[in-house]
Amino acid sequence: MPIRSKLPHVGTTIFTVMSKLASDCKAINLSQGFPGFDSDPALLDLVNKYMKAGYNQYAPMSGVPLLRERIVEKAKLVYGIELDSESEVTVVSGATEALYAAITAVVNPGDEVILFDPAYDSYAPAVELNGGVPVFVSLSLPGFSVDWERVKAAISDKTQLIIVNTPHNPSGYVWTQEDLNTLAELIQDTGILVVSDEVYEHITFDGRQHLSLLTHPELRERTFVCGSFGKTFHVTGWKIGYCLAPSKLTEEFRKIHQFLTFSSATPLQYALADYLSEPSRYLALPDFYQKKRDLFCEGLKKTPFEFTPAQGSFFQMVSYAHLSDESDYDLSVRLTKEIGVASIPISVFFYDRKDPKILRFCFAKDDSELNVALNRLLKMKL
Ligand code: PMP
Ligand code: GLN
């Protein structure tokens, strides 16, 4: 029976492909972004506690009230903003769901959606499945900052949404106050909405502050912020995230969320609510990951790669453009097979598969594993 694919150009994601290759080759997997270490045993014990105490049936559609309150407290403490836990916070099954539900809530057929290029892989398919038209705005290489003149030129009377990602995957670029102000100025007299993917909100380096779009009064009125406990508490497999948005947007968001998943794992939500009562558990994250970034970058200095230390996220990009013409995909496959270190070729993040000869490594791993990977990289042939 012929099937009319709704995503004819989409294959299996690179994260699945490279993680499988890494596992087949018994390589160190610095490709797909997930921590190589476990979460705090205290958090795992809490899940057990709530499961055993009978918290095993459907959670409320919008999320366990205590968890929503704790998310509000976190936003107040970290960003100095007031949110209403009843009408502005929704707990979902990972940021992937938050992004999909937010995009689906507001994109109608024919609407244009501005995406920064390169972008995380789930945005464009979500736009297309809703009949939207992705309009790509290239980030400025090598820093991956936003060229606001290009954004201005891309805005049309069909623009419905702009999708922002800070700290950025794959580059780690962290938006500045000027970026927020310029975006706000550009869209102030329009009906354009914003989805802001802030899953690496607690992973910024060198004293840089993550600026949530919710901290800007005008952006706050029109933005869905998507977050993920997977990144913050080293539990990417739990798939618990949240969406923060003004009540009118949240109302529409929940209409989609209730038919996508309805609600998310109950004992995990109670455990996270309990665990969040101690802010040091997320406030310690920049230091924790900066040590790993620094260790990894120190080792990279001995390799022929060129790089600038990431500003945020748990990814480090390296360039080999000065050394070889090999495609980034071929090189990352070859390094996985030949020296046992898997990475992500960043061409997969570009809509036209542009290949600036850059690989992305995930440094959310034990130091010993990072050291072995670095030693192996010294042996690579480019
Ligand atoms: N957005 C970005 C930029 C990501 O890197 C990821 C996951 N690595 C997600 C969204 C998805 O988050 P989750 O696992 O909570 O669905
Ligand atoms: N976001 C993760 C990354 O960038 C991957 C998540 C996934 O595999 N879907 O590596």
Side-chain angles (χ1 to χ4, degrees):
M1 212 194 308
I3 293 173
R4 281 203 300 140
S5 172
K6 298 191 88 169
L7 293 172
H9 311 298
V10 169
T12 307
T13 82
I14 191 70
F15 308 117
T16 304
V17 171
M18 290 310 297
S19 277
K20 176 165 188 322
L21 185 68
S23 153
D24 291 349
C25 299
K26 300 197 172 28
I28 294 181
N29 189 359
L30 307 188
S31 65
Q32 190 178 29
F34 63 88
F37 36 81
D38 220 339
S39 189
D40 182 351
L43 176 57
L44 308 183
D45 286 347
L46 284 170
V47 177
N48 209 352
K49 169 179 148 186
Y50 284 106
M51 276 187 174
K52 288 198 167 150
Y55 291 83
N56 296 307
Q57 308 310 327
Y58 294 127
M61 183 271 280
S62 57
V64 162
L66 185 60
L67 178 55
R68 283 188 275 116
E69 277 162 32
R70 289 278 152 81
I71 293 170
V72 167
E73 287 164 15
K74 179 166 89 68
K76 169 104 179 127
L77 180 73
V78 179
Y79 305 121
I81 52 172
E82 305 278 353
L83 289 164
D84 178 47
S85 69
E86 272 302 311
S87 63
E88 298 186 305
V89 180
T90 310
V91 177
V92 292
S93 300
T96 311
E97 189 202 339
L99 290 158
Y100 193 85
I103 292 166
T104 303
V106 297
V107 174
N108 286 288
D111 286 347
E112 291 182 0
V113 178
I114 293 183
L115 301 180
F116 293 100
D117 189 40
Y120 185 60
D121 67 345
S122 80
Y123 309 158
V127 169
E128 284 164 355
L129 285 170
N130 285 291
V133 180
V135 173
F136 294 94
V137 172
S138 301
L139 293 173
S140 299
L141 272 60
F144 292 75
S145 57
V146 180
D147 178 334
W148 287 104
E149 284 308 310
R150 287 186 203 151
V151 181
K152 201 170 167 184
I155 292 177
S156 80
D157 54 9
K158 292 202 183 122
T159 308
Q160 166 71 354
L161 183 68
I162 299 182
I163 303 183
V164 169
N165 173 208
T166 176
H168 180 248
N169 181 2
S171 71
Y173 178 79
V174 176
W175 273 39
T176 62
Q177 188 63 55
E178 207 183 332
D179 287 324
L180 266 66
N181 294 348
T182 315
L183 174 63
E185 258 167 50
L186 276 185
I187 62 177
Q188 65 186 352
D189 297 321
T190 72
I192 297 174
L193 301 170
V194 181
V195 165
S196 185
D197 179 348
E198 303 184 6
V199 298
Y200 301 105
E201 62 183 321
H202 298 299
I203 313 182
T204 53
F205 307 128
D206 308 315
R208 245 175 226 100
Q209 290 298 312
H210 164 67
L211 297 173
S212 173
L213 266 60
L214 293 179
T215 59
H216 192 291
E218 283 149 34
L219 294 176
R220 193 185 154 179
E221 296 302 307
R222 46 172 94 209
T223 302
F224 297 91
V225 165
C226 304
S228 172
F229 288 114
K231 316 290 173 191
T232 304
F233 294 135
H234 319 316
V235 287
T236 58
W238 287 12
K239 301 296 290 189
I240 304 279
Y242 45 91
C243 175
L244 313 177
S247 57
K248 281 211 161 16
L249 296 183
T250 293
E251 241 171 70
E252 293 306 313
F253 178 92
R254 289 181 183 170
K255 290 182 190 172
I256 309 299
H257 162 67
Q258 68 182 343
F259 297 127
L260 265 180
T261 56
F262 182 73
S263 64
S264 306
T266 309
L268 303 187
Q269 291 197 48
Y270 278 100
L272 285 164
D274 210 326
Y275 195 71
L276 276 165
S277 62
E278 184 46 72
S280 63
R281 289 168 166 158
Y282 49 86
L283 295 178
L285 224 53
D287 267 1
F288 173 78
Y289 272 122
Q290 183 159 332
K291 288 198 182 90
K292 296 205 175 288
R293 183 205 62 171
D294 289 348
L295 182 154
F296 194 59
C297 287
E298 242 351 90
L300 282 176
K301 282 185 192 159
K302 298 183 195 119
T303 71
F305 289 133
E306 282 182 349
F307 64 93
T308 306
Q311 299 181 351
S313 83
F314 47 44
F315 302 115
Q316 178 62 48
M317 295 192 316
V318 300
S319 165
Y320 62 94
H322 55 301
L323 299 165
S324 148
D325 274 342
E326 187 171 0
S327 83
D328 63 351
Y329 182 81
D330 289 351
L331 179 61
S332 73
V333 168
R334 190 164 68 75
L335 292 183
T336 309
K337 290 181 176 166
E338 285 181 9
I339 61 162
V341 181
S343 57
I344 294 290
I346 81 144
S347 58
V348 298
F349 291 88
F350 287 93
Y351 88 97
D352 63 354
R353 298 291 175 258
K354 184 159 80 149
D355 176 7
K357 314 286 177 210
I358 294 174
L359 300 180
R360 188 200 80 176
F361 291 101
C362 172
F363 55 76
K365 306 292 161 188
D366 281 327
D367 293 358
S368 54
E369 199 175 8
L370 290 175
N371 281 323
V372 176
L374 287 163
N375 276 330
R376 291 185 184 180
L377 285 172
L378 291 177
K379 295 188 193 110
M380 73 187 159
K381 293 197 177 62
L382 287 170

